[in-house]
Amino acid sequence: MPHLLTEDARLSWKAKALWTWLAGRPDGWVVRLSHLVTQATDGIGSVRTGLDELEKLGYISRKQLR
């Protein structure tokens, strides 16, 4: 885990934990919000805000697949 991420006070603990879980997925793994919600007790709103934090600060990038 990048030390920079763990020391970034702009990120919530939720976002740090979410990034840690995502980083453990294999290369090429497709992230689906509906799946992420089933992996913990946080609801869809909480997962969305965690992803938004990570994207806003450049830790992840997202693109919609159709």
Side-chain angles (χ1 to χ4, degrees):
M1 173 181 311
H3 182 67
L4 200 62
L5 178 114
T6 60
E7 298 298 319
D8 193 338
R10 300 172 300 169
L11 286 173
S12 67
W13 286 109
K14 166 181 55 184
K16 291 175 185 182
L18 184 56
W19 187 92
T20 301
W21 190 86
L22 291 169
R25 302 303 100 200
D27 290 341
W29 188 71
V30 176
V31 177
R32 289 191 170 82
L33 183 61
S34 59
H35 176 72
L36 288 176
V37 172
T38 68
Q39 300 305 298
T41 60
D42 299 53
I44 194 167
S46 180
V47 174
R48 276 191 178 133
T49 60
L51 291 172
D52 289 345
E53 277 183 60
L54 292 168
E55 184 176 33
K56 177 182 165 191
L57 296 173
Y59 287 100
I60 64 169
S61 61
R62 295 188 274 182
K63 63 181 175 181
Q64 187 173 6
L65 300 176
R66 294 179 188 246

